[in-house]
Amino acid sequence: MGKANNVTELIITGLFQDPEVQKVCFVLFLPVYLATVLGNGLIVTIVSVSKSLRSPMYIFLNSLSLVEICYSSTVVPKFITDLLANVKTISLKGCLTQIFFFHFWGVAEIFLLVVMAYDRYVAICKPLHYMNIMSHQVCHMLVGVSWLGGFLHSLIQVLITIQLPFCGPNVIDHYFCDLQPLFKLACTDTFVESVTVMANSGLIALCSFLVLVSSYVIILVNLRNHSAEGRRKALSTCASHIAVVILFFGPAIFLYMRPSSTFTEDKLVAVFYTVITPMLNPIIYTLRNSEVKNAMRKLWVRKRVFSKQLDEDVAQGLAVSHNVNDHGEVDHGYSKHKQGSLSYWFLAHLI
């Protein structure tokens, strides 16, 4: 059957139909999204500028936080603005683009979680060889492989979907574009395509989950040979990662291990892993990590000292609009100094 797309625009049903409930959701989810961007952005900034956070674990945490921002931004801004719209629409090309990036960042996060589990395994089970095995070059290569894996997975999903004909209806029973809701709109049998994309996603999720579980089983077995203090420190470094893994895979297991449905509960679970979980990750990693908290304090103190010095410099510069020399000419050296002070002042207040 040849491809015949009569549908160019899709209507999204959204999370709830009641306008008042949608307004309440807007008030709730907008601060959550802002907290997601600011919280993960803060981690990216701290890890990037702090000299004390140069270990492999923080390289992976930095990448994970960046992925969380992108993953959430693929769905949430459109979702939030749709809460205030009477009719929620998206173009077919826009829908395919959202699917691509949603799966890209989602699978990249899965692979990063696996890489972080491997990092903890090496740190605990092979501590003497840790820095040789997990060199910075290897860490950046693993991050790149994670992103490449997400890209290839997402490319396969979209290439399968883009071949389908869509000739009506055009209503997606969800609050964002995903494969299964979109497949229901295709005017052809999509059984093979559905099985293929489910297998693509399912095998990645299942294999990654088994690797994660195996890693921590090996770690727990190995910890029996450590002292009580050593076990406590090791488990403390793993606790944040385990919590993030549970938050990520828990909703996914709930959705994919049950028959396909249009229950509102499924949409609420999807809200949890697209809106809530990305916000929780920076909280989990900062509350239990003294090194990150100390780096945050140092960055804040340095910012305040730097800002105070520049405020004084700018105040002195703004006291006189022009500095005129003995010949009645404007001192351009002073003017450039003032402009430089203003630039540094502006930069300091963006930190």
Side-chain angles (χ1 to χ4, degrees):
M1 181 178 178
K3 180 180 176 182
N5 281 345
N6 297 326
V7 174
T8 58
E9 189 175 65
L10 303 171
I11 298 175
I12 301 173
T13 59
L15 186 61
F16 298 107
Q17 303 302 315
D18 189 336
E20 296 302 320
V21 176
Q22 293 186 56
K23 292 178 182 178
V24 172
C25 290
F26 176 85
V27 173
L28 292 175
F29 292 145
L30 178 59
V32 171
Y33 174 66
L34 294 176
T36 298
V37 175
L38 293 175
N40 285 287
L42 181 62
I43 289 181
V44 171
T45 302
I46 290 171
V47 174
S48 299
V49 303
S50 177
K51 295 181 180 179
S52 62
L53 303 179
R54 290 288 182 266
S55 66
M57 180 175 69
Y58 295 111
I59 294 176
F60 300 136
L61 178 59
N62 187 34
S63 182
L64 180 66
S65 296
L66 181 60
V67 167
E68 290 284 22
I69 294 174
C70 298
Y71 175 72
S72 181
S73 297
T74 300
V75 173
V76 180
K78 169 68 175 168
F79 167 52
I80 291 176
T81 54
D82 281 347
L83 289 171
L84 299 181
N86 293 325
V87 180
K88 307 166 182 60
T89 61
I90 187 171
S91 67
L92 181 59
K93 290 182 180 179
C95 184
L96 292 172
T97 302
Q98 188 178 64
I99 289 174
F100 176 84
F101 285 106
F102 178 71
H103 283 262
F104 173 32
W105 298 118
V107 171
E109 180 171 354
I110 290 177
F111 288 148
L112 278 173
L113 291 175
V114 173
V115 167
M116 294 174 78
Y118 175 70
D119 171 69
R120 292 300 84 204
Y121 160 76
V122 176
I124 294 171
C125 300
K126 301 180 182 294
L128 298 179
H129 305 283
Y130 178 66
M131 294 310 299
N132 290 329
I133 296 175
M134 301 301 293
S135 64
H136 279 201
Q137 183 179 0
V138 171
C139 292
H140 291 301
M141 182 194 69
L142 291 174
V143 170
V145 169
S146 300
W147 287 43
L148 178 62
F151 174 80
L152 293 176
H153 160 80
S154 189
L155 184 63
I156 293 171
Q157 304 292 71
V158 171
L159 287 178
I160 292 172
T161 307
I162 205 171
Q163 302 300 320
L164 297 174
F166 297 95
C167 47
N170 67 332
V171 179
I172 293 183
D173 187 18
H174 215 311
Y175 66 88
F176 70 98
C177 285
D178 204 359
L179 291 169
Q180 294 304 325
L182 184 61
F183 280 0
K184 293 178 181 179
L185 306 184
C187 48
T188 187
D189 183 19
T190 59
F191 176 77
V192 174
E193 289 81 3
S194 296
V195 171
T196 304
V197 297
M198 285 293 290
N200 188 14
S201 298
L203 286 175
I204 290 176
L206 179 62
C207 294
S208 300
F209 185 72
L210 291 177
V211 170
L212 287 166
V213 172
S214 301
S215 299
Y216 279 106
V217 168
I218 296 173
I219 289 173
L220 291 175
V221 171
N222 186 270
L223 284 177
R224 293 185 302 177
N225 301 323
H226 289 64
S227 64
E229 181 64 18
R231 286 195 295 268
R232 187 191 66 79
K233 290 183 178 179
L235 291 175
S236 177
T237 62
C238 296
S240 299
H241 184 254
I242 293 174
V244 171
V245 168
I246 293 173
L247 286 173
F248 187 88
F249 281 94
I253 292 173
F254 174 82
L255 287 178
Y256 287 98
M257 294 300 289
R258 59 179 292 179
S260 178
S261 67
T262 58
F263 296 157
T264 302
E265 289 81 358
D266 290 354
K267 295 181 183 180
L268 293 176
V269 173
V271 167
F272 185 81
Y273 67 76
T274 57
V275 182
I276 307 299
T277 300
M279 179 198 67
L280 295 178
N281 287 353
I283 298 175
I284 292 170
Y285 278 108
T286 54
L287 287 180
R288 297 189 58 87
N289 193 309
S290 59
E291 289 181 326
V292 173
K293 288 189 288 187
N294 289 335
M296 289 176 63
R297 294 190 191 98
K298 290 179 181 178
L299 180 65
W300 176 249
V301 171
R302 186 170 61 183
K303 185 261 181 187
R304 292 190 64 181
V305 172
F306 188 48
S307 179
K308 182 178 179 181
Q309 291 175 345
L310 291 175
D311 282 339
E312 294 175 354
D313 190 19
V314 170
Q316 182 180 1
L318 293 177
V320 180
S321 59
H322 295 288
N323 185 34
V324 182
N325 59 23
D326 296 337
H327 301 287
E329 298 175 342
V330 176
D331 188 343
H332 294 288
Y334 178 81
S335 179
K336 291 180 181 179
H337 169 73
K338 184 176 71 174
Q339 292 172 3
S341 298
L342 284 169
S343 300
Y344 281 113
W345 178 86
F346 180 71
L347 178 63
H349 283 74
L350 287 179
I351 300 177

